[in-house]
Amino acid sequence: MPTKKVLIILSDANSFRLKKPAGTGDESKTVEQPSGFFLMELAKPLQKLLDAGHEITFASPKGQEPVPDPNSESLAAFAGNFYERRRENELLERMKRENGFLRPRTLRSINDEELATFAGIFIPGGHAPLSDLGDDKELGRILRFFHKENKPTAAICHGPYALLSTKQAGDGSFAYEGYKITSWSDAEEKVMETMMGGEIEKVESSLRKEGAKMVTGAGEKIGQTTLDRELLTGGNPMAAAQLGDRFVRMISV
């Protein structure tokens, strides 16, 4: 299989906004909840891309060092599998040593001529994309380029929120209107809201509002992925392995 270049987009954020309810006689307030990329959602597709021999470039809005979501590093996130967690952490340590993971490219530094050299683009989840990817004009430019060229584009969990950035570039429309998309669901987010004691921006509702055809239900909960034209999406960490396999097949055509 020939080596191809893949662009992985990361958030610069290490938190997201959580709106706390008002107490008696108090106004509601917004706090910053620690977050970052979700380890499993990045590592599993990344490993499959590397196993297939592809070249990875990491990029983010400002080129800052990405941080993991603390919840994604817990043993609970790996169902108690210590060895799986260690393998995925070791993979990222390798990326730090060999592949510029600590200093991603800035989105602005990647012009359209260079974008043409990439075979696909992938956006992992974690709540961090809610903070800086959905309204980033440079990311909107990049996603519109891949959309126009019909190049494989993949996003998982909260990653699909980044697709909203296409409204900040071009003609201001949502490039994926009418697409079938799977993301972290409103129902799943409401569980997180109960756990965290506050209100969180909803990925599913935000995309549906812009005209996406959201694919939800039992399949999303157990990790099924959705492919519509060049766009491949998944809803939660359980979809990471399948999304990685399908994405590798897409860029290998």
Side-chain angles (χ1 to χ4, degrees):
M1 182 184 301
T3 297
K4 295 185 179 181
K5 293 174 60 178
V6 177
L7 184 62
I8 295 183
I9 302 294
L10 299 166
S11 169
D12 287 316
N14 58 14
S15 66
F16 67 96
R17 291 174 292 279
L18 182 68
K19 185 177 181 181
K20 292 283 189 177
T24 304
D26 296 327
E27 294 184 355
S28 61
K29 64 178 182 179
T30 300
V31 300
E32 291 295 322
Q33 182 73 21
S35 187
F37 63 84
F38 205 87
L39 177 58
M40 186 182 299
E41 293 170 357
L42 171 59
K44 280 185 166 47
L46 172 60
Q47 185 64 68
K48 291 177 182 295
L49 289 165
L50 293 170
D51 288 346
H54 298 307
E55 177 185 336
I56 305 299
T57 296
F58 297 103
S60 70
K62 298 179 181 178
Q64 297 177 359
E65 179 179 345
V67 299
D69 185 315
N71 292 326
S72 75
E73 293 193 302
S74 69
L75 269 180
F78 290 87
N81 191 329
F82 169 82
Y83 298 102
E84 182 181 8
R85 182 179 69 171
R86 184 172 69 182
R87 282 195 302 271
E88 298 194 352
N89 275 309
E90 287 175 347
L91 172 62
L92 293 193
E93 288 301 316
R94 174 186 159 197
M95 293 297 97
K96 291 176 183 179
R97 295 191 305 268
E98 302 175 3
N99 213 337
F101 186 76
L102 291 174
R103 293 290 181 269
R105 295 277 303 277
T106 63
L107 300 181
R108 181 175 294 182
S109 73
I110 306 175
N111 60 30
D112 288 359
E113 183 177 352
E114 184 176 2
L115 286 178
T117 68
F118 289 95
I121 185 171
F122 168 53
I123 308 171
H127 281 87
L130 299 179
S131 294
D132 65 348
L133 296 188
D135 60 358
D136 189 276
K137 184 176 181 179
E138 288 298 323
L139 179 55
R141 171 184 64 84
I142 289 170
L143 286 171
R144 279 190 171 276
F145 182 91
F146 279 81
H147 173 66
K148 180 181 178 182
E149 298 297 321
N150 196 37
K151 289 192 172 188
T153 301
I156 186 170
C157 200
H158 291 79
Y161 190 81
L163 302 175
L164 296 170
S165 66
T166 57
K167 294 178 59 184
Q168 307 300 319
D171 62 4
S173 65
F174 179 52
Y176 303 96
E177 181 179 356
Y179 274 62
K180 294 178 181 179
I181 298 175
T182 296
S183 73
W184 184 250
S185 69
D186 289 0
E188 289 166 315
E189 201 67 276
K190 287 176 182 177
V191 173
M192 297 300 296
E193 288 178 332
T194 299
M195 294 171 59
M196 295 180 179
E199 185 179 347
I200 304 169
E201 179 78 5
K202 308 296 190 300
V203 182
E204 177 192 336
S205 292
S206 297
L207 291 169
R208 181 179 282 113
K209 181 180 178 181
E210 298 301 329
K213 297 178 179 179
M214 301 307 295
V215 180
T216 60
E220 182 270 326
K221 302 297 187 296
I222 62 174
Q224 292 180 5
T225 56
T226 298
L227 176 62
D228 190 346
R229 286 158 278 188
E230 84 281 8
L231 182 63
L232 174 67
T233 52
N236 59 48
M238 293 182 67
Q242 183 185 121
L243 183 137
D245 285 333
R246 295 186 79 177
F247 189 50
V248 167
R249 291 197 296 270
M250 288 171 69
I251 65 175
S252 299
V253 173

